[in-house]
Amino acid sequence: SQQGEEDPQALSIQEGENATMNCSYKTSINNLQWYRQNSGRGLVHLILIRSNEREKHSGRLRVTLDTSKKSSSLLITASRAADTASYFCATPYFNQAGTALIFGKGTTLSVSS
Amino acid sequence: SQTIHQWPATLVQPVGSPLSLECTVEGTSNPNLYWYRQAAGRGLQLLFYSVGIGQISSEVPQNLSASRPQDRQFILSSKKLLLSDSGFYLCAWRAGTSTDTQYFGPGTRLTVL
């Protein structure tokens, strides 16, 4: 089942501009993560924000979490061509066998120079 | 430091042939291990995960199976491939129960003809 849904599906910007991606989820969570995937490669973990946090920064990344709206946003400031990638949000999924992650469909970001 | 390996990197197989994809993790013990599939331009679909040797949880009933013969080895198999099995297969690990963050391998691109 799909827990997170990213918006927009695709985003094209110029170098130096900011890029904002949004993620909505359905059930209560204790944390939310963002991952990046360069074309044809594995995913790379970017940042994790816990349910008791509203905002978190890591370098040029800023993540917000609004648990009342069940949504999160990822802001990349001063984007570079190297930021071109797909970005996914992921939320934990628990069952008796353990914990997994459910990923959204992703936002494809294209940064042109 | 921990590393995760997947092989082969690419594979072209005829319909009806068997499949074996291997994933190994180094530098950690008793990891949680995961197999995902990503169709072209799509998000990640969780296929299997394992919290220990011989323990496999299947998320999506299908033409695939998984096994964990050793602590840091995770194998994805099929007896007879279907066209619909084509995709990008990603293995990931998580460090036990201390965090929800997952670390991904480089992936295997499978094309079934």
Side-chain angles (χ1 to χ4, degrees):
Chain A
S1 62
Q2 206 76 40
Q3 166 75 306
E5 291 287 342
E6 291 88 346
D7 169 63
Q9 289 187 332
L11 181 61
S12 294
I13 59 174
Q14 298 286 321
E15 265 192 327
E17 294 179 338
N18 295 342
T20 300
M21 290 158 265
N22 303 297
C23 168
S24 60
Y25 57 92
K26 298 175 183 176
T27 62
S28 296
I29 58 172
N30 59 14
N31 67 72
L32 183 144
Q33 302 178 53
W34 285 90
Y35 288 78
R36 183 187 73 223
Q37 183 183 32
N38 290 89
S39 180
R41 307 291 293 275
L43 276 72
V44 175
H45 177 256
L46 294 176
I47 196 166
L48 180 151
I49 185 166
R50 302 192 185 283
S51 60
N52 61 354
E53 298 175 306
R54 291 295 171 260
E55 188 171 310
K56 196 166 183 179
H57 297 256
S58 176
R60 293 183 296 111
L61 304 181
R62 172 181 167 241
V63 169
T64 63
L65 180 64
D66 187 334
T67 53
S68 66
K69 295 181 179 179
K70 291 187 170 57
S71 67
S72 174
S73 68
L74 170 67
L75 168 67
I76 304 174
T77 60
S79 62
R80 307 166 181 168
D83 295 326
T84 295
S86 292
Y87 292 82
F88 298 88
C89 66
T91 51
Y93 160 65
F94 306 97
N95 68 19
Q96 60 184 12
T99 303
L101 287 177
I102 300 296
F103 287 82
K105 294 181 180 179
T107 292
T108 300
L109 173 65
S110 177
V111 182
S112 53
S113 54
Chain B
S1 63
Q2 301 86 6
T3 56
I4 179 169
H5 305 279
Q6 285 186 248
W7 63 88
T10 60
L11 192 59
V12 180
Q13 291 286 96
V15 170
S17 63
L19 173 73
S20 181
L21 303 181
E22 189 165 344
C23 170
T24 58
V25 181
E26 297 177 354
T28 188
S29 59
N30 197 30
N32 288 8
L33 296 171
Y34 305 85
W35 278 113
Y36 294 88
R37 178 170 62 200
Q38 186 176 33
R42 303 290 301 277
L44 278 74
Q45 179 186 34
L46 177 63
L47 300 177
F48 302 95
Y49 65 100
S50 171
V51 298
I53 296 174
Q55 297 176 278
I56 308 295
S57 176
S58 174
E59 288 300 303
V60 183
Q62 55 198 322
N63 189 40
L64 302 170
S65 62
S67 62
R68 185 170 176 175
Q70 299 181 42
D71 181 46
R72 290 170 288 177
Q73 184 184 31
F74 205 22
I75 297 173
L76 183 70
S77 303
S78 173
K79 292 182 179 178
K80 289 185 179 182
L81 284 168
L82 305 172
L83 287 174
S84 57
D85 291 323
S86 293
F88 191 48
Y89 288 81
L90 289 158
C91 180
W93 71 274
R94 180 173 74 98
T97 59
S98 62
T99 174
D100 286 328
T101 299
Q102 293 185 13
Y103 301 92
F104 284 79
T108 295
R109 174 75 59 192
L110 172 66
T111 302
V112 183
L113 301 175

